[in-house]
């Protein structure tokens, strides 16, 4: 690949030869993204022999793959179909290849396989990690490598086995659900009577609520929406503390500060110190107690090398920042005593856990579903909710894929803005060097120099040009500062909003998956079993005069036990529906995050463009009368 195609012009020997790192940034901006000199520097990879041998074998199978789109079609999408890679991960890998490795010659193809292997190993398929691991790249998993190395008839990968089509309501709403696990939530059980067999129904009859009117339904929905506002300010702040030596490894502590009134705490600032492992424990607790709620996820713990690099730690800190702020905005999770203690108790969390009584039973243990929800809310909203739930479940993977690509594009665009800022600083340096040298080519007859006939002809022109070049260089420096400020605003605010919305999407997708695993029941089987036992009981009681009283009594008790179990499962099914309905209703509020992101983006860009326009306007006025465009005789 020609060196003149390098994204950084200072890689083409344009930099100062005396500079130890010509491509290094000249401005003191600590971006969350890697500086261009770190991301775009030439690869230390020198020969194909440094790569795992399976990479070479795969290249021999695909010698004609030369673009990122071909790599995506021939390699990445087959791994997605095989099930080892998610669409979001696939988009990340393809974007890294497109952004850094084009065109795909032999070297680029092998590095692209390295990006794929890193993503499969630890979800770290980015170009920075590729550089760090260049001499120690992992092999592709055997199942993935065999997709390309095994001789398969007609070069077609055997399709993944599909589940049989569902005949449930899920199938009728979503069409072909051959790839989707049956969702118990989408079985409408409103026709089944929810009666506890242990209660005296004559003494405490179940009241039947009247049908709901539109005002009552709107009030119910608005009350749910009012409890959750994803656009509210982020009030929890988190700062990374210096690493501490542990028993075996170093670990990083995080100082969490806020002024929230949680539980019975007093007003004023609270400050606690927590480790990453404390966050992991909190997430595990929430998943156990609130499996049918939207629970934010944590950033990964894995990193490459002997110690976490500063860029990774910064990304993780921002991920923890989003986790905590999304947690306290949730109207149910934020009120949990464990969450309150996590954010307010200054004691080391491991010590507090040994002393505290922690209730990790599922949130609605011991609760009974409201008759108002069954008889009033569900008849009005049930069918619409199940349809919306099924459609959201079906489409959220694609939404995640598209938004992930938007985030990647935004990050890529921001890298370019950082490179422009860096180039602007370089412009100032080069123009300054030019103004110091051009008197050797254009002699000037000045007070400090010997009289010169040629210099006399340039007495005013060359100094004026040099003075104008200083104005031009100053404008480049000012433009660089504007772009640096814009980049900081983008990284610290807009990009975090984008990632925050992506966090909500992933959290909702995980709720869909948890619901399919955990909401299962055997209500239908119990109902059939009860009918069979009741028929046998009636036969024994009325027809079989030889039947023993003990047998009839045992059968009767068995029927009561089954009815009690069916009541418990029906009650649990209704409570799950109520939880999921609340979560889906609150999730609708996150659409306004999209609006907020692009409004903030447009405002930030407008402010920057106005400043840049003002700089250029001032430059024209400064050099317009000073910069000579033709020889002036004196």
């Amino acid at each position: 690949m020609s060196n003149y195609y390098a994204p950084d012009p200072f890689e083409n020997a344009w930099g100062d030869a005396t500079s130890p790192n010509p491509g290094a940034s000249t401005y003191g901006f600590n971006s969350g993204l890697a500086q261009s000199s770190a991301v775009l520097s030439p690869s230390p990879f020198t020969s194909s022999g440094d790569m795992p041998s399976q990479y070479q074998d795969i290249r021999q199978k695909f010698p004609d793959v030369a673009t990122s789109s071909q790599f995506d079609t021939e390699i990445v999408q087959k791994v997605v179909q095989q099930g080892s890679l998610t669409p979001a991960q696939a988009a990340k890998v393809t974007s890294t290849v497109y952004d850094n490795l084009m065109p795909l010659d032999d070297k680029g193809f092998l590095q692209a396989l390295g990006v794929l292997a890193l993503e499969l190993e630890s979800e770290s398929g980015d170009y920075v990690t590729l550089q760090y691991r260049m001499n120690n790249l992992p092999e592709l998993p055997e199942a993935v490598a065999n997709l390309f190395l095994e001789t398969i008839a007609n070069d077609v990968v055997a399709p993944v086995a599909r589940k049989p089509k569902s005949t449930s309501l899920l199938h009728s709403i979503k069409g072909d659900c051959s790839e989707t696990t049956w969702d118990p939530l989408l079985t409408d059980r409103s026709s089944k009577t929810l009666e506890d067999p242990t209660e005296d129904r004559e003494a405490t009859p179940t009241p039947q609520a009247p049908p709901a009117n539109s005002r009552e339904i709107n009030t119910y929905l608005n009350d749910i929406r009012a409890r959750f506002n994803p656009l509210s300010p982020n009030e929890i702040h988190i700062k990374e503390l210096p690493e501490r030596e542990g028993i075996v490894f170093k670990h990083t502590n995080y100082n969490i500060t806020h002024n929230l009134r949680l539980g019975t705490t007093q007003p004023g600032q609270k400050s606690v110190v927590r480790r990453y492992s404390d966050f992991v424990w909190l997430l595990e607790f929430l998943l156990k107690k609130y499996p049918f709620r939207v629970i934010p996820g944590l950033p990964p713990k894995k990193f490459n090398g002997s110690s976490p690099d500063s860029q990774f730690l910064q990304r993780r800190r921002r991920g923890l920042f989003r986790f905590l702020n999304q947690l306290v905005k949730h109207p149910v999770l934020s009120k949990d005593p464990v969450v309150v203690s996590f954010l307010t108790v200054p004691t080391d969390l491991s010590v507090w856990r040994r002393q505290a009584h922690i209730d990790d039973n599922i949130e609605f243990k011991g609760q009974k579903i409201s008759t108002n929800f069954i008889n009033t809310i569900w008849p009005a909203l049930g069918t619409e909710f199940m349809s919306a739930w099924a459609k959201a479940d079906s489409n959220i993977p694609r939404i995640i894929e598209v938004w992930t690509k938007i985030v990647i594009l935004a990050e890529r665009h921001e890298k370019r803005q950082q490179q422009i800022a860096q180039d602007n600083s370089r412009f100032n340096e080069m123009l300054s060097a030019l103004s110091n040298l051009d008197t050797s080519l254009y002699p000037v007859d000045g007070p400090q120099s010997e009289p010169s006939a040629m210099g006399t002809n340039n007495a005013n022109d060359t100094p004026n040009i040099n003075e104008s070049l200083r104005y031009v260089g100053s404008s480049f420096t000012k433009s660089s500062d504007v772009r640096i400020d814009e980049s900081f605003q983008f990284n610290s605010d807009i990009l975090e909003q984008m990632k925050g919305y992506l966090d909500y999407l992933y959290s909702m997708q995980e709720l869909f998956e948890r619901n399919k695993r955990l909401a299962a029941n055997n209500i239908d089987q119990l109902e059939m079993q009860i009918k069979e036992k009741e028929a046998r009981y009636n036969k024994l009681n009325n027809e079989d005069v030889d039947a023993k009283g003990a047998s009839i009594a045992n059968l009767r008790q068995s029927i009561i036990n089954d009815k009690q179990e069916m009541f418990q499962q029906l009650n649990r099914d209704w409570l799950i529906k109520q939880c999921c309905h609340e979560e889906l209703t609150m999730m609708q509020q996150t659409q306004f995050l999209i609006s907020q992101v692009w409004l903030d983006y447009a405002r930030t860009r407008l402010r920057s463009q106005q400043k840049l326009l003002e700089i250029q306007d001032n430059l024209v006025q400064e050099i317009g009368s000073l910069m000579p465009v033709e020889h002036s005789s004196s």
Side-chain angles (χ1 to χ4, degrees):
M1 181 176 176
S2 171
N3 207 26
Y4 290 99
Y5 288 100
D8 190 341
F10 295 99
E11 295 175 8
N12 300 332
W14 286 19
D16 183 359
T18 62
S19 174
N21 183 9
S25 174
T26 58
Y27 52 88
F29 173 57
N30 186 19
S31 169
L33 299 170
Q35 296 297 325
S36 57
S37 57
V39 175
L40 303 173
S41 58
S43 167
F45 169 73
T46 57
S47 71
S48 59
D50 296 330
M51 296 289 188
S53 59
Q54 63 174 200
Y55 291 16
Q56 317 274 355
D57 298 335
I58 295 175
R59 180 56 172 173
Q60 292 177 8
K61 292 276 188 178
F62 299 92
D64 298 327
V65 172
T67 66
S68 60
S69 59
Q70 290 175 326
F71 185 80
D72 181 67
T73 302
E74 298 294 336
I75 304 295
V76 177
Q77 292 306 316
K78 289 182 180 179
V79 182
V80 174
Q81 294 173 12
Q82 189 253 1
S84 298
L85 204 67
T86 67
Q89 289 177 297
K92 176 182 175 183
V93 170
T94 304
S95 178
T96 300
V97 173
Y98 173 82
D99 219 16
N100 303 284
L101 301 177
M102 291 293 292
L104 285 184
D105 52 12
D106 289 343
K107 170 184 169 182
F109 183 88
L110 298 180
Q111 290 185 353
L113 289 177
V115 173
L116 176 62
L118 289 169
E119 184 66 23
L120 291 169
E121 179 191 55
S122 58
E123 297 186 6
S124 57
D126 57 80
Y127 192 64
V128 175
T129 306
L130 177 70
Q131 297 298 294
Y132 291 150
R133 296 284 301 277
M134 189 61 73
N135 296 320
N136 185 30
L137 286 171
E139 290 192 344
L140 292 167
E142 183 178 358
V144 173
N146 288 341
L147 290 173
F148 313 111
L149 297 178
E150 284 188 343
T151 302
I152 302 175
N154 299 322
D155 293 327
V156 176
V157 179
V160 178
R162 304 297 188 189
K163 297 182 180 180
K165 291 185 179 181
S166 169
T167 57
S168 69
L169 178 62
L170 177 63
H171 179 263
S172 64
I173 293 174
K174 295 172 63 176
D176 186 358
C177 296
S178 56
E179 301 182 22
T180 307
T181 305
W182 173 72
D183 191 341
L185 186 73
L186 300 176
T187 301
D188 190 350
R189 304 190 185 279
S190 55
S191 60
K192 300 185 185 299
T193 303
L194 185 66
E195 294 181 341
D196 189 344
T198 61
E199 294 181 355
D200 185 353
R201 290 193 295 274
E202 293 185 359
T204 57
T206 302
Q208 295 296 317
N213 55 47
S214 59
R215 176 178 296 181
E216 185 176 359
I217 295 300
N218 288 335
T219 300
Y220 172 80
L221 294 175
N222 289 334
D223 286 346
I224 296 175
R225 297 187 185 109
R227 293 159 54 199
F228 175 65
N229 180 16
L231 295 178
S232 60
N234 293 321
E235 300 190 57
I236 292 185
H237 304 282
I238 181 168
K239 183 173 68 173
E240 183 182 313
L241 299 177
E243 289 186 344
R244 294 183 58 185
E245 292 283 354
I247 298 176
V248 180
F249 302 107
K250 289 183 178 180
H251 65 267
T252 303
N253 284 337
Y254 297 94
N255 181 224
I256 303 168
T257 58
H258 61 89
N259 291 302
L260 295 171
R261 292 197 65 177
L262 300 171
T264 58
T265 59
Q266 297 298 317
Q269 187 178 69
K270 288 85 176 176
S271 177
V272 297
V273 175
R274 299 289 182 251
R275 296 177 55 180
Y276 179 82
S277 57
D278 297 332
F279 286 88
V280 173
W281 174 84
L282 177 62
L283 178 60
E284 291 173 350
F285 164 81
L286 293 172
L287 289 171
K288 185 174 182 180
K289 186 167 185 176
Y290 302 97
F292 303 103
R293 299 288 182 183
V294 172
I295 299 175
L298 287 174
K301 180 181 182 180
K302 294 181 181 179
F303 54 86
N304 296 298
S306 58
S307 64
D309 61 274
S310 58
Q311 182 184 347
F312 171 84
L313 289 175
Q314 188 176 49
R315 289 200 304 266
R316 190 167 75 177
R317 180 190 61 79
R318 290 180 175 179
L320 296 175
F321 169 84
R322 297 194 302 270
F323 170 81
L324 288 178
N325 279 285
Q326 290 181 11
L327 191 61
V328 297
K329 290 177 185 179
H330 194 284
V332 176
L333 304 180
S334 61
K335 292 180 172 58
D336 186 274
V338 170
V339 173
V340 173
S341 298
F342 184 90
L343 294 171
T344 57
V345 175
T347 311
D348 183 272
L349 193 69
S350 59
V351 175
W352 176 83
R353 285 167 55 186
R354 288 195 295 269
Q355 299 172 348
H357 173 70
I358 299 173
D359 179 15
D360 59 0
N361 291 304
I362 194 167
E363 63 170 306
F364 42 67
K365 181 182 179 182
Q367 294 183 20
K368 184 176 179 181
I369 188 66
S370 164
T371 56
N372 182 63
F373 181 81
I374 296 177
N375 299 323
T376 304
I377 305 301
W378 186 259
L381 299 176
T383 301
E384 180 184 353
F385 160 67
M386 289 189 293
S387 176
W389 181 272
K391 290 177 182 177
D393 182 17
S394 176
N395 288 291
I396 201 167
R398 176 58 179 161
I399 298 173
I400 289 175
E401 179 184 356
V402 171
W403 191 258
T404 299
K405 290 180 178 179
I406 290 174
V407 174
I408 292 172
L409 284 171
E411 290 181 311
R412 185 189 303 170
H413 179 270
E414 189 52 34
K415 289 178 184 178
R416 294 194 189 102
Q417 295 300 312
Q418 292 183 43
Q419 184 63 45
I420 292 173
Q422 181 179 347
D423 290 345
N424 284 344
S425 297
R426 288 287 185 175
F427 261 120
N428 188 29
E429 293 177 16
M430 297 302 103
L431 289 171
S432 177
L434 177 63
S435 63
N436 292 331
L437 294 173
D438 64 357
T439 54
S440 62
L441 179 61
Y442 308 106
V444 177
D445 186 8
Q448 304 298 326
S449 62
E450 295 296 328
S452 169
M454 292 182 65
T456 301
N457 293 332
N458 297 298
N460 296 318
D461 293 345
T462 302
N464 287 344
I465 290 174
N466 288 340
E467 181 68 16
S468 298
L469 290 180
R470 281 190 283 273
Y471 283 125
V472 174
S474 176
S475 73
F476 275 115
T477 299
K478 293 175 182 177
S479 297
S480 177
D481 292 339
V482 170
R483 293 184 186 277
I484 290 170
D485 292 341
E486 180 187 5
S487 181
F488 177 80
Q489 181 72 23
F490 183 87
N491 284 323
S492 61
D493 187 8
I494 299 170
L495 187 59
E496 286 305 298
Q497 290 181 49
M498 288 181 168
K499 292 182 178 180
Y501 178 63
L502 187 60
D503 291 342
Y504 276 117
L505 292 176
Y506 274 118
S507 299
M508 192 69 202
Q509 184 184 42
E510 290 170 2
L511 174 58
F512 288 135
E513 297 305 319
R514 283 199 304 274
N515 180 72
K516 293 169 189 173
R517 294 195 314 270
L518 304 177
N521 58 67
N522 60 341
I523 293 173
D524 295 331
Q525 294 88 333
L526 281 171
E527 187 175 31
M528 293 177 59
Q529 186 173 302
I530 290 170
K531 289 180 180 179
E532 293 174 357
K533 289 182 178 180
E534 286 180 335
R536 192 161 68 250
Y537 174 82
N538 291 331
K539 183 177 180 180
L540 288 174
N541 200 35
N542 298 327
E543 300 177 9
D544 193 346
V545 294
D546 297 327
K548 296 182 178 179
S551 299
I552 296 176
N554 291 338
L555 184 58
R556 181 176 182 277
Q557 186 60 48
S558 177
I559 294 171
I560 293 175
N561 293 341
D562 286 348
K563 286 186 175 182
Q564 288 177 339
E565 177 64 23
M566 183 174 172
F567 166 79
Q568 295 295 337
Q569 291 198 26
L570 268 174
N571 185 61
R572 179 177 181 271
D573 184 72
W574 279 113
L575 289 167
I576 291 172
K577 282 181 169 62
Q578 186 178 38
C579 272
C580 292
H581 179 264
E582 290 177 359
E583 294 301 314
L584 187 62
T585 302
M586 289 190 290
M587 185 66 187
Q588 309 307 309
Q589 299 293 92
T590 62
Q591 64 184 307
F592 303 116
L593 289 172
I594 303 175
S595 305
Q596 190 66 51
V597 163
W598 295 112
L599 278 171
D600 288 348
Y601 171 80
R603 289 165 180 159
T604 301
R605 290 288 292 163
L606 177 62
R607 287 193 295 268
S608 298
Q609 293 303 314
Q610 288 173 337
K611 291 179 181 178
L612 292 173
L613 180 61
E614 182 181 357
I615 291 171
Q616 296 306 312
D617 185 56
N618 291 337
L619 177 62
V620 170
Q621 295 180 29
E622 289 168 342
I623 69 175
S625 59
L626 189 62
M627 182 77 81
V629 294
E630 61 182 11
H631 172 69
S632 59
S633 60
S634 59

